[in-house]
Amino acid sequence: MTAPTVAGSDVDEGEGEDGAVLLSVENLRTTFYTDKETIRAVDGVSFDLRAGETIGIVGESGSGKSVTARSVMGLVESPGRVESESSIEYRGRELTTNTEKEWQQIRGGDIAMVFQDPMTSLNPVYTVGNQIKEALRLHQNLKGQAATEEAVELLQAVGIPDATRRLKEYPHQFSGGMRQRAVIAMALACDPSVLICDEPTTALDVTIQAQILELLEELKEERGLAIMFITHDMGVIAEVADRVNVMYAGEFVESAPVEGLFENPKHPYTQGLLRSIPGNNVGSERLETIEGEVPTPNEEATYCRFAPRCPEEFAECDHVHPESVPVGDEDVHHTAKCLLYPEDLPKAGRIGKHEQRSGDEGGDRS
Ligand code: SF4
């Protein structure tokens, strides 16, 4: 099919080439203020997302992954807010100062989102075809026969057979996997450059999950989409991501290209997550788990938030905040927030480096 043209956007199409930075997030801080506490759900996260690239954000429930996604979509609601020192740039344009009207133009146009439950996006009382055509009308000004033809092409592009007939069906007549494909078709109807996927395969069985991951890979290749993929599942991350950010209690604690992360995980949390993948501990009688839960980040990070669960913890972990430091080959940009690094420094030198970086509010971006 022909790729739809960008609607509602004044950006230079040339910037969509593979490798161009589309989304640049710097020091993102999203805080929820309640009567009882201040929750730093996202606490100083930075990353770039390039055209034709998938970045993964992985971590347990409560780590801040979904709040990161909602912040990038302008969907944080009271009592939450994106703090003023945060920056989210889309093609060089700052989004954090957007009005709601400007956000609406970005959402579903330049940046689209696919949620875990397809019924969050589908209206049960309208046919799938009507919903895709409505998106085409809003974002590409397509109507009538042209919209129907484009909707058929979109359903075919996401692998739904007998697309002309299925356009006339309602969401409840689709299986779970087909519904998620229909939601992806709706997202593509807006011709986004960036697709944010928040646990899109978690509710699906493994066969269907594999098909959806394959579909996303194809769409990334064919359309040069930039994909931000959120999951708690390291196995899924291995399949889908080019770069991985491991998130814990509001912070990215390790960032690396996917091969580097899986071959040489550095942060004790990442190492624990990898040990807890079924099949990664052949010969062991029990599946390893990380004891305890992700803490609510309700105080300033003046220490390592992973310390209570960390098998490597030592005294300084309780009062020095680990900053992001290079932990591997500089060329591949592998960083971790842990006082065990840089490995080549003696302990006092390492601690001093983290204290100094903390003072500078420095650190590497993903
Ligand atoms: S800083 Fe200390 S507690 Fe935190 S991950 Fe590293 S070793 Fe573990």
Side-chain angles (χ1 to χ4, degrees):
M1 67 176 290
T2 51
T5 52
V6 171
S9 170
D10 55 1
V11 296
D12 176 359
E13 283 293 278
E15 291 179 53
E17 296 160 6
D18 266 14
V21 173
L22 297 182
L23 194 67
S24 185
V25 174
E26 184 77 39
N27 194 26
L28 176 62
R29 294 182 189 274
T30 306
T31 313
F32 289 81
Y33 295 90
T34 71
D35 292 344
K36 290 188 190 144
E37 56 187 355
T38 298
I39 300 171
R40 295 160 168 84
V42 182
D43 201 4
V45 156
S46 301
F47 64 91
D48 287 337
L49 178 57
R50 296 167 187 275
E53 172 187 59
T54 300
I55 62 160
I57 301 181
V58 66
E60 295 162 277
S61 296
S63 58
K65 312 181 297 289
S66 292
V67 180
T68 304
R70 295 186 77 81
S71 304
V72 170
M73 292 290 284
L75 289 173
V76 175
E77 288 175 356
S78 179
R81 74 164 184 244
V82 173
E83 301 292 358
S84 58
E85 65 263 43
S86 312
S87 170
I88 303 167
E89 283 189 359
Y90 173 72
R91 297 184 191 259
R93 184 182 138 199
E94 183 61 48
L95 301 185
T96 53
T97 51
N98 270 358
T99 61
E100 182 51 30
K101 194 169 172 210
E102 287 167 333
W103 270 120
Q104 282 170 8
Q105 283 173 349
I106 289 282
R107 279 196 295 265
D110 298 302
I111 306 177
M113 190 156 173
V114 176
F115 295 92
Q116 177 178 339
D117 178 2
M119 290 313 283
T120 308
S121 310
L122 291 168
N123 187 328
V125 301
Y126 292 106
T127 64
V128 168
N130 272 341
Q131 296 181 63
I132 295 175
K133 285 192 274 185
E134 176 65 5
L136 288 167
R137 186 186 68 75
L138 280 174
H139 296 283
Q140 296 192 56
N141 204 23
L142 282 181
K143 293 178 194 148
Q145 189 57 26
T148 304
E149 285 171 15
E150 186 65 28
V152 168
E153 286 197 21
L154 283 169
L155 282 193
Q156 286 168 341
V158 297
I160 295 184
D162 199 4
T164 307
R165 179 177 63 80
R166 301 223 70 169
L167 270 189
K168 299 179 189 126
E169 292 186 344
Y170 290 86
H172 75 268
Q173 294 171 286
F174 280 51
S175 66
M178 284 295 166
R179 266 183 225 149
Q180 198 59 294
R181 285 174 190 265
V183 168
I184 295 170
M186 266 171 65
L188 295 180
C190 311
D191 191 29
S193 305
V194 174
L195 190 62
I196 298 180
C197 301
D198 189 359
E199 304 263 10
T201 59
T202 301
L204 305 174
D205 70 45
V206 284
T207 316
I208 307 299
Q209 173 174 290
Q211 290 170 6
I212 297 286
L213 296 182
E214 201 175 309
L215 168 65
L216 288 171
E217 182 67 23
E218 283 168 16
L219 294 172
K220 179 184 81 171
E221 300 279 324
E222 285 167 13
R223 293 166 177 256
L225 273 179
I227 299 177
M228 179 173 148
F229 195 101
I230 288 170
T231 179
H232 65 279
D233 188 331
M234 279 300 228
V236 168
I237 279 290
E239 292 287 319
V240 81
D242 298 310
R243 278 193 67 80
V244 186
N245 299 293
V246 180
M247 194 161 191
Y248 188 82
E251 301 180 71
F252 283 176
V253 295
E254 184 162 4
S255 300
V258 67
E259 302 84 10
L261 191 96
F262 278 79
E263 281 167 17
N264 200 6
K266 294 292 191 180
H267 196 282
Y269 180 56
T270 315
Q271 292 167 351
L273 286 179
L274 289 173
R275 277 196 299 270
S276 62
I277 298 178
N280 262 15
N281 283 297
V282 180
S284 167
E285 286 188 4
R286 291 178 54 132
L287 188 60
E288 286 204 32
T289 55
I290 307 172
E291 293 294 324
E293 289 177 359
V294 182
T296 302
N298 55 5
E299 31 182 71
E300 205 178 322
T302 52
Y303 55 95
C304 175
R305 288 182 173 138
F306 187 57
R309 304 171 77 188
C310 180
E312 314 271 355
E313 187 214 0
F314 50 98
E316 285 81 352
C317 304
D318 289 331
H319 56 84
V320 177
H321 181 241
E323 298 298 323
S324 185
V325 293
V327 290
D329 188 343
E330 288 277 355
D331 293 345
V332 298
H333 205 64
H334 188 163
T335 60
K337 282 188 168 185
C338 172
L339 302 181
L340 295 171
Y341 305 100
E343 269 171 320
D344 55 352
L345 290 181
K347 186 175 171 188
R350 295 195 310 261
I351 304 297
K353 191 174 178 81
H354 285 275
E355 284 175 326
Q356 183 200 344
R357 284 201 160 210
S358 223
D360 296 346
E361 293 189 14
D364 291 333
R365 62 190 297 105
S366 152

